[in-house]
mmCIF file of all heavy atoms in Angstrom:
data_model
loop_
_atom_site.group_PDB
_atom_site.id
_atom_site.type_symbol
_atom_site.label_atom_id
_atom_site.label_comp_id
_atom_site.label_asym_id
_atom_site.label_seq_id
_atom_site.Cartn_x
_atom_site.Cartn_y
_atom_site.Cartn_z
ATOM 1 N N ASN A 110 2.087 -4.159 8.908
ATOM 2 C CA ASN A 110 1.325 -2.914 9.024
ATOM 3 C C ASN A 110 2.042 -2.010 10.025
ATOM 4 O O ASN A 110 1.951 -2.216 11.233
ATOM 5 C CB ASN A 110 -0.101 -3.226 9.478
ATOM 6 C CG ASN A 110 -0.956 -1.969 9.603
ATOM 7 O OD1 ASN A 110 -0.441 -0.850 9.621
ATOM 8 N ND2 ASN A 110 -2.253 -2.151 9.708
ATOM 9 N N ARG A 113 0.179 -0.589 12.966
ATOM 10 C CA ARG A 113 -0.227 -1.497 14.021
ATOM 11 C C ARG A 113 0.893 -1.756 14.995
ATOM 12 O O ARG A 113 0.655 -2.076 16.136
ATOM 13 C CB ARG A 113 -0.630 -2.836 13.405
ATOM 14 C CG ARG A 113 -2.101 -3.022 13.372
ATOM 15 C CD ARG A 113 -2.415 -4.472 13.119
ATOM 16 N NE ARG A 113 -3.849 -4.617 13.130
ATOM 17 C CZ ARG A 113 -4.484 -5.731 12.911
ATOM 18 N NH1 ARG A 113 -3.790 -6.831 12.642
ATOM 19 N NH2 ARG A 113 -5.783 -5.784 12.966
ATOM 20 N N ARG A 123 7.409 11.216 3.550
ATOM 21 C CA ARG A 123 6.571 12.389 3.282
ATOM 22 C C ARG A 123 7.317 13.289 2.323
ATOM 23 O O ARG A 123 8.292 13.921 2.711
ATOM 24 C CB ARG A 123 6.285 13.138 4.586
ATOM 25 C CG ARG A 123 5.455 12.308 5.540
ATOM 26 C CD ARG A 123 4.476 13.124 6.326
ATOM 27 N NE ARG A 123 3.478 12.217 6.884
ATOM 28 C CZ ARG A 123 3.573 11.669 8.086
ATOM 29 N NH1 ARG A 123 4.581 11.953 8.873
ATOM 30 N NH2 ARG A 123 2.630 10.844 8.499
ATOM 31 N N GLU A 124 6.895 13.300 1.092
ATOM 32 C CA GLU A 124 7.529 14.148 0.097
ATOM 33 C C GLU A 124 6.438 14.885 -0.656
ATOM 34 O O GLU A 124 5.952 14.398 -1.670
ATOM 35 C CB GLU A 124 8.363 13.243 -0.833
ATOM 36 C CG GLU A 124 9.544 13.931 -1.468
ATOM 37 C CD GLU A 124 10.327 14.761 -0.491
ATOM 38 O OE1 GLU A 124 10.951 14.185 0.403
ATOM 39 O OE2 GLU A 124 10.311 16.001 -0.599
ATOM 40 N N ALA A 127 5.247 14.968 -4.544
ATOM 41 C CA ALA A 127 5.697 13.767 -5.249
ATOM 42 C C ALA A 127 4.546 12.753 -5.270
ATOM 43 O O ALA A 127 3.656 12.811 -4.445
ATOM 44 C CB ALA A 127 6.903 13.164 -4.539
ATOM 45 N N ILE A 129 3.930 9.165 -4.587
ATOM 46 C CA ILE A 129 4.535 7.959 -4.027
ATOM 47 C C ILE A 129 3.416 7.032 -3.583
ATOM 48 O O ILE A 129 2.557 7.425 -2.795
ATOM 49 C CB ILE A 129 5.449 8.288 -2.824
ATOM 50 C CG1 ILE A 129 6.556 9.279 -3.222
ATOM 51 C CG2 ILE A 129 6.056 7.005 -2.268
ATOM 52 C CD1 ILE A 129 7.425 9.740 -2.065
ATOM 53 N N GLY A 130 3.412 5.828 -4.109
ATOM 54 C CA GLY A 130 2.446 4.832 -3.653
ATOM 55 C C GLY A 130 2.885 4.284 -2.308
ATOM 56 O O GLY A 130 4.057 4.376 -1.935
ATOM 57 N N PHE A 131 1.937 3.727 -1.582
ATOM 58 C CA PHE A 131 2.250 3.220 -0.243
ATOM 59 C C PHE A 131 1.505 1.918 -0.011
ATOM 60 O O PHE A 131 0.283 1.856 -0.188
ATOM 61 C CB PHE A 131 1.822 4.267 0.808
ATOM 62 C CG PHE A 131 2.090 3.810 2.212
ATOM 63 C CD1 PHE A 131 3.304 4.093 2.812
ATOM 64 C CD2 PHE A 131 1.149 3.070 2.920
ATOM 65 C CE1 PHE A 131 3.568 3.638 4.103
ATOM 66 C CE2 PHE A 131 1.402 2.628 4.205
ATOM 67 C CZ PHE A 131 2.622 2.919 4.799
ATOM 68 N N ILE A 132 2.241 0.886 0.370
ATOM 69 C CA ILE A 132 1.617 -0.413 0.661
ATOM 70 C C ILE A 132 2.250 -0.980 1.911
ATOM 71 O O ILE A 132 3.475 -1.071 2.018
ATOM 72 C CB ILE A 132 1.844 -1.408 -0.504
ATOM 73 C CG1 ILE A 132 1.295 -0.851 -1.823
ATOM 74 C CG2 ILE A 132 1.198 -2.766 -0.187
ATOM 75 C CD1 ILE A 132 1.700 -1.669 -3.050
ATOM 76 N N CYS A 133 1.440 -1.349 2.897
ATOM 77 C CA CYS A 133 2.006 -2.045 4.052
ATOM 78 C C CYS A 133 1.065 -3.126 4.545
ATOM 79 O O CYS A 133 -0.151 -3.054 4.339
ATOM 80 C CB CYS A 133 2.349 -1.066 5.183
ATOM 81 S SG CYS A 133 0.944 -0.469 6.132
ATOM 82 N N LEU A 135 0.955 -6.436 3.792
ATOM 83 C CA LEU A 135 0.585 -7.574 2.935
ATOM 84 C C LEU A 135 1.681 -8.631 2.864
ATOM 85 O O LEU A 135 1.602 -9.556 2.053
ATOM 86 C CB LEU A 135 0.249 -7.078 1.516
ATOM 87 C CG LEU A 135 -0.951 -6.141 1.382
ATOM 88 C CD1 LEU A 135 -1.051 -5.629 -0.050
ATOM 89 C CD2 LEU A 135 -2.246 -6.847 1.775
ATOM 90 N N HIS A 138 3.249 -10.005 -0.404
ATOM 91 C CA HIS A 138 2.361 -9.366 -1.390
ATOM 92 C C HIS A 138 2.495 -7.846 -1.413
ATOM 93 O O HIS A 138 2.062 -7.214 -2.365
ATOM 94 C CB HIS A 138 0.909 -9.779 -1.145
ATOM 95 C CG HIS A 138 0.621 -11.166 -1.641
ATOM 96 N ND1 HIS A 138 0.367 -11.454 -2.963
ATOM 97 C CD2 HIS A 138 0.604 -12.350 -0.996
ATOM 98 C CE1 HIS A 138 0.183 -12.757 -3.100
ATOM 99 N NE2 HIS A 138 0.320 -13.326 -1.927
ATOM 100 N N LEU A 142 2.341 -6.501 -5.088
ATOM 101 C CA LEU A 142 1.316 -5.527 -5.485
ATOM 102 C C LEU A 142 1.982 -4.258 -6.037
ATOM 103 O O LEU A 142 1.468 -3.645 -6.970
ATOM 104 C CB LEU A 142 0.417 -5.192 -4.290
ATOM 105 C CG LEU A 142 -0.955 -4.623 -4.661
ATOM 106 C CD1 LEU A 142 -1.844 -5.702 -5.242
ATOM 107 C CD2 LEU A 142 -1.645 -4.005 -3.451
ATOM 108 N N SER A 146 1.341 -2.693 -9.635
ATOM 109 C CA SER A 146 0.889 -1.318 -9.859
ATOM 110 C C SER A 146 1.766 -0.610 -10.882
ATOM 111 O O SER A 146 1.280 0.181 -11.688
ATOM 112 C CB SER A 146 0.820 -0.539 -8.542
ATOM 113 O OG SER A 146 2.088 -0.046 -8.179
ATOM 114 N N GLN A 149 0.804 -2.002 -14.185
ATOM 115 C CA GLN A 149 -0.505 -1.459 -14.556
ATOM 116 C C GLN A 149 -0.344 -0.046 -15.134
ATOM 117 O O GLN A 149 -0.917 0.280 -16.182
ATOM 118 C CB GLN A 149 -1.394 -1.425 -13.308
ATOM 119 C CG GLN A 149 -2.825 -0.982 -13.525
ATOM 120 C CD GLN A 149 -3.533 -0.683 -12.191
ATOM 121 O OE1 GLN A 149 -3.077 0.144 -11.408
ATOM 122 N NE2 GLN A 149 -4.626 -1.374 -11.936
ATOM 123 N N TYR B 98 -10.614 -10.475 7.013
ATOM 124 C CA TYR B 98 -9.473 -9.766 6.443
ATOM 125 C C TYR B 98 -9.901 -8.355 6.040
ATOM 126 O O TYR B 98 -10.988 -8.166 5.484
ATOM 127 C CB TYR B 98 -8.963 -10.534 5.218
ATOM 128 C CG TYR B 98 -7.574 -10.124 4.790
ATOM 129 C CD1 TYR B 98 -6.499 -10.257 5.658
ATOM 130 C CD2 TYR B 98 -7.345 -9.610 3.524
ATOM 131 C CE1 TYR B 98 -5.223 -9.879 5.263
ATOM 132 C CE2 TYR B 98 -6.069 -9.233 3.124
ATOM 133 C CZ TYR B 98 -5.021 -9.368 4.005
ATOM 134 O OH TYR B 98 -3.773 -8.993 3.615
ATOM 135 N N ASN B 106 -2.146 9.273 -1.825
ATOM 136 C CA ASN B 106 -1.391 8.911 -0.622
ATOM 137 C C ASN B 106 -1.568 10.025 0.408
ATOM 138 O O ASN B 106 -0.994 11.098 0.276
ATOM 139 C CB ASN B 106 0.087 8.725 -0.982
ATOM 140 C CG ASN B 106 0.939 8.324 0.205
ATOM 141 O OD1 ASN B 106 0.508 8.410 1.349
ATOM 142 N ND2 ASN B 106 2.148 7.877 -0.063
ATOM 143 N N HIS B 108 -0.385 10.626 3.172
ATOM 144 C CA HIS B 108 0.820 11.090 3.872
ATOM 145 C C HIS B 108 1.573 12.166 3.096
ATOM 146 O O HIS B 108 2.463 12.824 3.637
ATOM 147 C CB HIS B 108 1.743 9.919 4.177
ATOM 148 C CG HIS B 108 1.090 8.934 5.083
ATOM 149 N ND1 HIS B 108 0.836 9.203 6.388
ATOM 150 C CD2 HIS B 108 0.575 7.708 4.830
ATOM 151 C CE1 HIS B 108 0.201 8.174 6.930
ATOM 152 N NE2 HIS B 108 0.030 7.255 6.002
ATOM 153 N N LEU B 109 1.221 12.328 1.822
ATOM 154 C CA LEU B 109 1.895 13.340 1.013
ATOM 155 C C LEU B 109 1.063 14.618 0.964
ATOM 156 O O LEU B 109 1.442 15.585 0.309
ATOM 157 C CB LEU B 109 2.121 12.828 -0.412
ATOM 158 C CG LEU B 109 2.868 11.500 -0.513
ATOM 159 C CD1 LEU B 109 3.014 11.091 -1.962
ATOM 160 C CD2 LEU B 109 4.233 11.597 0.150
ATOM 161 N N HIS B 115 -2.638 13.101 7.893
ATOM 162 C CA HIS B 115 -1.528 12.199 8.213
ATOM 163 C C HIS B 115 -1.877 11.153 9.242
ATOM 164 O O HIS B 115 -1.163 10.171 9.383
ATOM 165 C CB HIS B 115 -0.293 13.011 8.668
ATOM 166 C CG HIS B 115 0.325 13.804 7.561
ATOM 167 N ND1 HIS B 115 1.426 14.599 7.727
ATOM 168 C CD2 HIS B 115 -0.014 13.924 6.243
ATOM 169 C CE1 HIS B 115 1.739 15.173 6.564
ATOM 170 N NE2 HIS B 115 0.881 14.787 5.666
ATOM 171 N N ALA B 120 -6.099 2.772 9.895
ATOM 172 C CA ALA B 120 -4.882 1.968 9.707
ATOM 173 C C ALA B 120 -4.562 0.991 10.844
ATOM 174 O O ALA B 120 -4.241 -0.164 10.582
ATOM 175 C CB ALA B 120 -3.690 2.878 9.420
ATOM 176 N N PRO B 121 -4.656 1.429 12.129
ATOM 177 C CA PRO B 121 -4.299 0.468 13.188
ATOM 178 C C PRO B 121 -5.342 -0.630 13.370
ATOM 179 O O PRO B 121 -5.084 -1.607 14.069
ATOM 180 C CB PRO B 121 -4.236 1.342 14.463
ATOM 181 C CG PRO B 121 -4.350 2.750 14.016
ATOM 182 C CD PRO B 121 -4.992 2.753 12.667
ATOM 183 N N VAL B 123 -6.837 -2.304 10.788
ATOM 184 C CA VAL B 123 -6.911 -3.182 9.616
ATOM 185 C C VAL B 123 -5.618 -4.002 9.472
ATOM 186 O O VAL B 123 -4.646 -3.778 10.191
ATOM 187 C CB VAL B 123 -7.154 -2.389 8.310
ATOM 188 C CG1 VAL B 123 -8.523 -1.723 8.330
ATOM 189 C CG2 VAL B 123 -6.049 -1.364 8.072
ATOM 190 N N ALA B 125 -3.920 -4.295 6.476
ATOM 191 C CA ALA B 125 -3.010 -3.739 5.485
ATOM 192 C C ALA B 125 -3.520 -2.406 4.963
ATOM 193 O O ALA B 125 -4.719 -2.116 5.053
ATOM 194 C CB ALA B 125 -2.842 -4.712 4.319
ATOM 195 N N VAL B 126 -2.611 -1.596 4.438
ATOM 196 C CA VAL B 126 -2.945 -0.287 3.871
ATOM 197 C C VAL B 126 -2.381 -0.203 2.453
ATOM 198 O O VAL B 126 -1.208 -0.524 2.232
ATOM 199 C CB VAL B 126 -2.346 0.855 4.723
ATOM 200 C CG1 VAL B 126 -2.700 2.218 4.115
ATOM 201 C CG2 VAL B 126 -2.820 0.774 6.171
ATOM 202 N N VAL B 127 -3.226 0.220 1.527
ATOM 203 C CA VAL B 127 -2.802 0.432 0.139
ATOM 204 C C VAL B 127 -3.240 1.839 -0.245
ATOM 205 O O VAL B 127 -4.428 2.159 -0.164
ATOM 206 C CB VAL B 127 -3.444 -0.616 -0.811
ATOM 207 C CG1 VAL B 127 -3.104 -0.292 -2.270
ATOM 208 C CG2 VAL B 127 -2.993 -2.019 -0.459
ATOM 209 N N ALA B 128 -2.297 2.682 -0.648
ATOM 210 C CA ALA B 128 -2.635 4.083 -0.934
ATOM 211 C C ALA B 128 -1.769 4.628 -2.055
ATOM 212 O O ALA B 128 -0.660 4.147 -2.296
ATOM 213 C CB ALA B 128 -2.435 4.934 0.318
ATOM 214 N N GLY B 133 -6.606 2.737 -9.993
ATOM 215 C CA GLY B 133 -6.176 1.364 -10.280
ATOM 216 C C GLY B 133 -5.958 0.533 -9.031
ATOM 217 O O GLY B 133 -5.935 -0.696 -9.086
ATOM 218 N N LEU B 137 -6.267 -3.623 -8.210
ATOM 219 C CA LEU B 137 -5.115 -4.349 -7.667
ATOM 220 C C LEU B 137 -5.483 -5.076 -6.389
ATOM 221 O O LEU B 137 -5.083 -6.210 -6.172
ATOM 222 C CB LEU B 137 -3.959 -3.372 -7.418
ATOM 223 C CG LEU B 137 -3.301 -2.778 -8.674
ATOM 224 C CD1 LEU B 137 -2.383 -1.615 -8.312
ATOM 225 C CD2 LEU B 137 -2.509 -3.846 -9.429
ATOM 226 N N GLU B 144 -6.334 -13.878 -4.869
ATOM 227 C CA GLU B 144 -5.227 -14.810 -4.616
ATOM 228 C C GLU B 144 -5.149 -15.272 -3.169
ATOM 229 O O GLU B 144 -4.856 -16.425 -2.905
ATOM 230 C CB GLU B 144 -3.891 -14.129 -4.946
ATOM 231 C CG GLU B 144 -3.426 -14.348 -6.372
ATOM 232 C CD GLU B 144 -2.044 -13.755 -6.562
ATOM 233 O OE1 GLU B 144 -1.104 -14.209 -5.886
ATOM 234 O OE2 GLU B 144 -1.927 -12.820 -7.387
#
Side-chain angles (χ1 to χ4, degrees):
Chain A
N110 181 345
R113 256 195 178 178
R123 294 216 163 92
E124 207 45 68
I129 303 175
F131 179 90
I132 302 170
C133 76
L135 297 174
H138 283 279
L142 202 72
S146 82
Q149 184 193 57
Chain B
Y98 197 60
N106 181 346
H108 298 290
L109 306 180
H115 291 180
V123 295
V126 180
V127 175
L137 291 168
E144 269 185 62

